[in-house]
Amino acid sequence: MGGMSTKQRIGWVVITVVVLLWSLFPVVSILMTSFKTQAGLFSGKFLPPEWTWENYATILAPGGSAQDLFLPSLRNSIGISLISTVVAVVLATFCAYAIARLDFRGKKLILTTALAVSVFPVVSIVTPLFNLWRSIGLYDTWPGLIIPYLSLTLPISIWTLAAFFRQIPWELEQAAQVDGATPFQAFRKAVVPLAAPGVFTTAIIAFFIAWNDFVYGISLTSTSAARPVPAALSFFTGASQFEEPTGAISAAAIVVTVPIVIVVLIFQRRIVSGLTQGAVKG
Amino acid sequence: MASISLDHVVKTYPDGFTAVKGVSLDIADGEFVILVGPSGCGKSTLLRMIVGLEDITDGELRIGEKVVNDLAPRDRDLAMVFQNYALYPHLTVYENIAFPLRLARGQFSDSEVDERVRRASALLELDEHLERKPANLSGGQRQRVAMGRAIVRQAKAFLFDEPLSNLDAKLRGQMRTEIARLQRNLATTTVYVTHDQTEAMTLGDRVAVLRRGELQQVASPRGLYDQPVNLFVAGFIGSPPMNFLPGIVEGDRIRLPLVDVPLDDRLRTAVGEREIVIVGIRPDAYEDVDTLEPHKAEGGVRFEADVDVTEWLGEVLYAYVPFETHDAVREKLAELDRDLDGEGMRTQLVVTLDSMSTVRAGDAAELWFHPDSMHIFDAETGDSLTRDEDRAAELEEEAKEQRRRALERAKRRAEREAQAAADGEERASA
Ligand SMILES: Nc1ncnc2c1ncn2[C@@H]1O[C@H](COP(=O)(O)OP(=O)(O)OP(=O)(O)O)[C@@H](O)[C@H]1O
Ligand SMILES: [Mg+2]
């Protein structure tokens, strides 16, 4: 940023701060709420008047009132999201490899279909799915959610990976073969290290999509057998009719957000894939 | 190290296009052979067939004594430098160079790998970059890393696909001499693809000229320049290119645009019964009569020419003289121009004059050339009619002899260096 004048630099700093405030304020606000007591909720203050772990105890500690609602749903969310991510990424990797490397009929068709599927509004298929799942016994099961999640994660995975694979200098594979590698060694030693960041990025995107879903989660489940966290949150109730579950919901939201933020921070460097630079003249 | 021999090698791509049409070429052990030709003539295809990245449709490829048509690249034991280097971006320079050694699992211990990598990096002056990633290197440095990867194991041959084409002119000159030096020192069989005139003429022992997948001529650079077999080779080799003029035979004279030349014995036999031929004269065969030393002028022909444009480059002066071509050869020359990737050049004579010449654009200059410098080509087939087989063979002998001496010198130098290194060690241990 050496070429910037002081004025420009100040401008950028201001913009950055505004954007940060704008996007972080809700998160911080929820974090603060999660530490408020029942009384503190209505204090109208941003910071909790008195700090408490009570809300976290409600959802996590044995005997907490929302614990039997939250913990199974957390397990469901993690399991279902992970499985749909793995399946989507594995399938998308094969698909994108073929799209990037081979010339075959129907290549365009696959890509446009994938795009069409991903822009199809979720709400319009959720009712038919509800009926179908009920009649074939997938309602309120893990596969009953994994399958629709794949329809969300697969297209975007195929598109991201295909775009990524197209940039890989495939000549490296040939170079490795000339250097004495078997075709499989060439793939593993020259291509996989370059493809890894792309696959990883795709996995994270796919995981977020599954993790954040609400519509399928609420419509296709009825018990804690398969209900994911976003859906479960809406079933939280206060200790009595007159208590708001806001504190517990905030705590739950923080519990499901923090791991994601940590993952992104840890793998930030890998997600930014500057790795392919310098393979070829440039 | 090994010889490479191609026997009527054909390549037809899956889409039905035949890129290489029966090329036969014998490359001796330790020889440096250049493949040249216009874009799309099949140079890369040929190289990729040798290294095993492209299937051979028909014909036979031998490395050493062994037929290798069906061997995978890894079993052919050749090293290749790709046009865009193809370095592994996730590995350091050190690991890039060590890559082929690490693949030959069990064959090299860690210390042997280290020793070989360091020897290669010292040779290529890469020592201070060993821990860096290719992305952070300059073009020339990347090129040297690619070379390092090729020379680190004792492959049977080196294959280069236009390795210098993306470097700037200065670096290209530098790397060119470096490659020449390296190949002399290692004496490894080398096939080098280029379409750069200078690289073709200076690097190789022999140059193979390809046109549309067919081999036109294989000879030493001097052989190609002096004794081309046809119009294509004559037009392709040399810069600026040879001038081609329509020649009408009338009795004992041949009429060229601008001047008539008497037919001597050599030209008479060449022309035979033909009434029209294509005459080729290299730009440097012309002289400005004003700067010509009188004793040289004997036996030559003089003519007046209206100079259209001049270009003064310091060491030489190029003068351009437009002329009217003849309908009978126009088609043939236009076709040749297309083959040479030309851009429909105007019919003009390019003349290389002494830089002291005072000829300027718009002047009428008096020019001179000797009929001995004339090449004559058949107007239909384009074959050379003046090619002197004896002279050509003589040139090849000379080139071979020079090559042998260069290799001997390199061997002696290597021995001396090894001896010096051994002495140094003795002294150090004493
Ligand atoms: N995979 C392919 N399928 C079909 N035709 C091909 C393929 N690769 C190359 N060709 C054709 O084969 C011919 C020779 O190509 P090649 O790459 O060998 O040319 P080249 O001499 O190396 O040219 P350049 O100097 O431009 O690199 C070209 O006409 C090209 O169109
Ligand atoms: Mg090429």
Side-chain angles (χ1 to χ4, degrees):
Chain A
M1 296 200 173
M4 266 198 276
S5 69
T6 325
K7 224 185 210 167
Q8 272 175 316
R9 204 167 302 155
I10 292 174
W12 274 110
V13 168
V14 170
I15 292 174
T16 312
V17 168
V18 169
V19 170
L20 272 182
L21 278 180
W22 176 265
S23 52
L24 282 184
F25 178 77
V27 180
V28 178
S29 165
I30 290 175
L31 184 69
M32 291 307 142
T33 311
S34 75
F35 286 115
K36 284 177 184 168
T37 58
Q38 195 52 217
L41 281 180
F42 302 99
S43 64
K45 299 227 168 60
F46 184 70
L47 292 176
E50 27 174 347
W51 295 72
T52 173
W53 287 100
E54 194 185 307
N55 294 318
Y56 289 91
T58 317
I59 57 166
L60 295 174
S65 61
Q67 191 233 12
D68 52 342
L69 206 53
F70 182 69
L71 284 188
S73 67
L74 189 61
R75 202 188 57 223
N76 290 338
S77 258
I78 294 176
I80 293 172
S81 303
L82 274 184
I83 293 175
S84 12
T85 304
V86 170
V87 174
V89 168
V90 169
L91 289 182
T93 304
F94 288 134
C95 186
Y97 183 86
I99 287 172
R101 286 303 308 274
L102 308 176
D103 236 349
F104 57 92
R105 281 156 152 265
K107 191 157 131 177
K108 272 252 169 65
L109 190 71
I110 291 182
L111 282 174
T112 21
T113 314
L115 192 65
V117 168
S118 70
V119 297
F120 211 75
V122 167
V123 275
S124 63
I125 49 171
V126 77
T127 316
L129 261 188
F130 173 78
N131 288 326
L132 182 65
W133 269 200
R134 300 263 303 205
S135 53
I136 63 174
L138 279 178
Y139 183 70
D140 202 22
T141 60
W142 278 24
L145 279 185
I146 290 172
I147 293 170
Y149 283 179
L150 283 181
S151 77
L152 299 177
T153 53
L154 251 184
I156 184 125
S157 302
I158 291 174
W159 273 85
T160 347
L161 278 175
F164 193 85
F165 282 174
R166 282 210 194 95
Q167 293 175 354
I168 290 187
W170 293 101
E171 218 180 12
L172 291 182
E173 220 178 22
Q174 301 181 341
Q177 284 185 35
V178 174
D179 282 342
T182 60
F184 180 70
Q185 274 179 324
F187 181 72
R188 193 165 56 84
K189 299 201 172 194
V191 174
V192 170
L194 297 184
V199 174
F200 199 83
T201 314
T202 311
I204 289 192
I205 295 173
F207 186 81
F208 286 171
I209 291 175
W211 185 259
N212 288 335
D213 165 77
F214 176 74
V215 178
Y216 286 128
I218 193 106
S219 322
L220 302 178
T221 61
S222 58
T223 67
S224 58
R227 186 184 290 140
V229 172
L233 290 186
S234 64
F235 286 89
F236 278 21
T237 51
S240 75
Q241 203 181 335
F242 306 103
E243 276 182 27
E244 290 285 336
T246 318
I249 291 179
S250 304
I254 292 297
V255 169
V256 298
T257 311
V258 166
I260 302 257
V261 173
I262 291 175
V263 166
V264 172
L265 286 183
I266 291 177
F267 293 106
Q268 195 184 23
R269 285 171 150 259
R270 310 202 56 178
I271 297 175
V272 182
S273 57
L275 254 167
T276 48
Q277 284 171 14
V280 295
K281 293 178 197 178
Chain B
M1 260 168 273
S3 60
I4 298 174
S5 83
L6 297 108
D7 190 7
H8 294 95
V9 167
V10 176
K11 174 70 193 183
T12 304
Y13 278 109
D15 64 2
F17 183 80
T18 304
V20 174
K21 301 168 187 156
V23 167
S24 298
L25 178 63
D26 282 312
I27 301 167
D29 188 6
E31 197 177 19
F32 197 145
V33 167
I34 311 272
L35 291 180
V36 288
S39 189
C41 70
K43 307 179 296 284
S44 300
T45 306
L46 202 56
L47 204 65
R48 292 165 59 81
M49 282 197 287
I50 296 176
V51 80
L53 293 171
E54 221 52 89
D55 290 332
I56 296 171
T57 312
D58 197 16
E60 207 171 72
L61 170 68
R62 281 188 301 275
I63 298 176
E65 290 307 306
K66 202 161 140 213
V67 178
V68 297
N69 281 38
D70 298 321
L71 283 190
R74 63 191 295 259
D75 299 319
R76 299 194 187 186
D77 194 18
L78 305 174
M80 177 153 171
V81 175
F82 287 78
Q83 176 160 3
N84 55 14
Y85 311 150
L87 301 178
Y88 309 113
H90 56 292
L91 300 178
T92 59
V93 168
Y94 183 99
E95 284 303 324
N96 260 287
I97 298 178
F99 193 81
L101 301 178
R102 301 235 191 264
L103 282 172
R105 195 167 298 146
Q107 217 169 315
F108 302 99
S109 68
D110 277 353
S111 62
E112 266 176 315
V113 169
D114 190 64
E115 189 199 316
R116 279 162 174 264
V117 172
R118 294 204 183 270
R119 202 181 323 141
S121 89
L123 196 62
L124 295 165
E125 289 165 25
L126 283 169
D127 284 340
E128 62 215 276
H129 307 297
L130 282 179
E131 295 314 315
R132 301 175 70 194
K133 291 275 174 68
N136 305 328
L137 300 180
S138 73
Q141 288 164 341
R142 285 181 207 176
Q143 207 274 339
R144 278 180 287 166
V145 178
M147 299 260 294
R149 196 173 62 185
I151 65 172
V152 72
R153 74 197 152 107
Q154 257 96 52
K156 289 196 183 125
F158 295 150
L159 307 174
F160 294 89
D161 193 352
E162 307 200 28
L164 307 184
S165 61
N166 279 24
L167 302 182
D168 64 57
K170 184 150 170 263
L171 199 52
R172 195 156 50 205
Q174 227 168 326
M175 291 308 300
R176 195 174 62 225
T177 44
E178 209 138 310
I179 289 176
R181 187 170 52 85
L182 202 68
Q183 204 270 345
R184 293 270 183 271
N185 284 346
L186 301 172
T188 307
T189 315
T190 303
V191 185
Y192 188 107
V193 167
T194 181
H195 53 227
D196 182 283
Q197 283 277 334
T198 328
E199 284 170 34
M201 297 304 268
T202 57
L203 277 176
D205 300 318
R206 281 194 302 160
V207 180
V209 184
L210 277 169
R211 170 189 176 226
R212 297 194 201 156
E214 280 173 281
L215 206 53
Q216 302 293 303
Q217 186 175 5
V218 190
S220 66
R222 192 172 288 268
L224 288 181
Y225 192 83
D226 283 352
Q227 305 291 335
V229 293
N230 59 23
L231 267 182
F232 179 81
V233 175
F236 190 78
I237 300 290
S239 166
M242 188 184 270
N243 297 299
F244 293 115
L245 315 164
I248 319 263
V249 184
E250 279 176 5
D252 59 350
R253 310 182 69 74
I254 182 164
R255 168 170 293 173
L256 303 181
L258 308 174
V259 65
D260 288 1
V261 182
L263 286 175
D264 57 17
D265 286 349
R266 184 182 78 105
L267 299 177
R268 183 83 258 170
T269 10
V271 167
E273 297 302 306
R274 294 175 184 79
E275 283 174 3
I276 184 149
V277 291
I278 295 175
V279 174
I281 306 175
R282 295 216 178 264
D284 58 7
Y286 294 94
E287 301 281 354
D288 179 357
V289 171
D290 292 342
T291 57
L292 186 67
E293 289 152 39
H295 68 271
K296 271 180 76 183
E298 262 167 60
V301 292
R302 296 158 177 246
F303 63 99
E304 284 272 320
D306 291 325
V307 174
D308 184 23
V309 177
T310 55
E311 291 171 351
W312 186 79
L313 297 179
E315 72 276 21
V316 291
L317 175 94
Y318 293 134
Y320 296 86
V321 180
F323 66 86
E324 269 308 307
T325 190
H326 193 278
D327 283 338
V329 298
R330 185 170 285 143
E331 196 42 46
K332 185 77 191 162
L333 288 178
E335 183 199 327
L336 176 69
D337 186 47
R338 277 195 300 279
D339 274 353
L340 292 172
D341 294 341
E343 40 231 30
M345 57 183 167
R346 315 142 52 82
T347 48
Q348 57 182 2
L349 211 61
V350 186
V351 177
T352 310
L353 299 178
D354 192 293
S355 68
M356 301 304 286
S357 165
T358 53
V359 173
R360 291 296 173 267
D363 288 354
E366 192 175 16
L367 300 177
W368 170 97
F369 69 91
H370 198 284
D372 281 356
S373 61
M374 282 166 61
H375 297 254
I376 294 190
F377 303 92
D378 189 292
E380 295 293 321
T381 63
D383 289 338
S384 170
L385 303 170
T386 40
R387 183 175 146 87
D388 180 345
E389 295 295 340
D390 295 338
R391 176 77 187 125
E394 209 173 284
L395 283 172
E396 292 316 296
E397 262 326 297
E398 267 171 35
K400 215 181 232 171
E401 182 57 25
Q402 267 176 14
R403 170 69 186 162
R404 206 182 48 72
R405 283 207 304 271
L407 277 179
E408 250 169 35
R409 268 199 306 277
K411 205 187 279 169
R412 273 206 304 278
R413 190 165 51 231
E415 275 166 15
R416 255 202 323 273
E417 274 165 18
Q419 188 60 41
D423 288 351
E425 264 169 41
E426 251 170 54
R427 224 169 298 135
S429 61

